[in-house]
Amino acid sequence: MWEKRMEWPLNAAAVLFLAAYAWPILQPSLGHTGRVWCEVVTWLAWAVFALDYGVRLKHARDKRDFLKKNLFDLLIIVLPLIRQLRLLRLVTVLNVLNRNAGLSLRGRVVVYTVGATALIVFCSALAVLDAERTQPDAPITDFPDAVWWSITTITTVGYGDRYPVSGTGRIVAVGLMVAGIALLGVVTATLASWLIRRVTEADENAQAVTREHLDELTREVKALRAELAEQRAEVSPAASEPLGTARG
């Protein structure tokens, strides 16, 4: 009940969190007041994420089992509190926005894949731009370059014209490569599943037609048998009547 009730508030908090994170990066000239408000929004959204996790933990029947199954959720809530790991906050946004979509991946694979890919590309571009902008001789210095780098990296093309030079940027690159391979695997598996389902449906349709023909033939055979039985019943008395007369 709690998870269903919190679905939209969590999604709204994730969108506000992402907007507050992206604004100072996309607009470096943003004043001090604007940056403070963005920081306040990110922390408020962070509090909503933490509250959701805490309530789910409280309502869990087996808390130890809940912690084991949701260890990733705990890590992406706790670790970004360390300033050096603040980029992990974007992972929380991805996790919140995709938590429900992943439950029905097969039925909504196109929407999920396109949405997840766009979100990952956008977040990775923000993260790498935030890490690379202040680096000397960095090839990635504006958002279009960052988006181009994200697209070439997630598709595992890697032209090499844009690349991160900082440690944080390279960590983002590794995560983006893994995400690209995972998305490719999802698309491939879903396509294979769709093809198998189509072949199975065609086979089932053929079997249904065959069964229908067999049922029709069975009905015809039964009708012929009934007709034959009626004819035999009519012939039998006629054949026995002369015999009875002769005996008399």
Side-chain angles (χ1 to χ4, degrees):
M1 179 65 71
W2 170 262
E3 292 185 2
K4 189 68 177 177
R5 187 179 301 172
M6 287 297 293
E7 180 178 344
W8 285 107
L10 280 175
N11 288 337
V15 171
L16 288 174
F17 183 97
L18 184 59
Y21 179 88
W23 193 3
I25 297 175
L26 297 176
Q27 187 180 349
S29 60
L30 184 66
H32 176 71
T33 303
R35 291 180 179 274
V36 169
W37 275 110
C38 288
E39 190 70 16
V40 169
V41 171
T42 57
W43 280 112
L44 288 176
W46 198 257
V48 173
F49 302 151
L51 174 65
D52 173 66
Y53 183 86
V55 172
R56 287 190 292 129
L57 175 61
K58 181 180 178 181
H59 290 168
R61 295 181 179 178
D62 188 344
K63 292 180 171 50
R64 182 174 297 181
D65 183 64
F66 177 86
L67 289 172
K68 288 180 181 179
K69 291 182 178 179
N70 297 274
L71 182 60
F72 181 71
D73 290 352
L74 179 62
L75 290 177
I76 61 179
I77 287 175
V78 174
L79 289 180
L81 294 176
I82 304 172
R83 184 170 181 79
Q84 290 80 0
L85 299 176
R86 67 192 181 97
L87 289 177
L88 289 177
R89 296 177 184 179
L90 292 177
V91 181
T92 304
V93 176
L94 294 174
N95 184 61
V96 170
L97 292 178
N98 292 325
R99 189 171 68 184
N100 294 319
L103 297 177
S104 55
L105 177 60
R106 185 176 178 181
R108 295 153 53 185
V109 63
V110 175
V111 175
Y112 174 81
T113 304
V114 172
T117 303
L119 192 59
I120 292 173
V121 167
F122 180 68
C123 291
S124 300
L126 289 175
V128 79
L129 179 61
D130 189 31
E132 296 292 307
R133 177 179 280 157
T134 57
Q135 298 296 319
D137 301 325
I140 303 174
T141 56
D142 55 32
F143 188 64
D145 286 343
V147 172
W148 170 250
W149 170 83
S150 293
I151 293 173
T152 57
T153 303
I154 198 171
T155 55
T156 66
V157 174
Y159 285 110
D161 55 343
R162 297 290 184 271
Y163 53 88
V165 296
S166 65
T168 303
R170 288 171 180 171
I171 292 174
V172 174
V174 171
L176 189 56
M177 292 173 196
V178 173
I181 295 171
L183 285 172
L184 181 61
V186 167
V187 173
T188 304
T190 304
L191 179 60
S193 175
W194 178 79
L195 289 174
I196 292 172
R197 182 167 57 84
R198 294 292 293 179
V199 171
T200 303
E201 288 177 354
D203 187 46
E204 289 177 352
N205 290 336
Q207 290 181 5
V209 171
T210 303
R211 283 194 297 268
E212 186 178 348
H213 289 167
L214 287 174
D215 291 341
E216 186 176 350
L217 287 173
T218 302
R219 288 193 296 269
E220 290 180 359
V221 169
K222 287 181 179 180
L224 288 173
R225 285 180 177 177
E227 187 177 348
L228 256 141
E230 289 177 1
Q231 290 177 358
R232 285 177 182 175
E234 291 176 358
V235 169
S236 246
S240 60
E241 186 175 349
L243 182 60
T245 305
R247 286 179 182 178

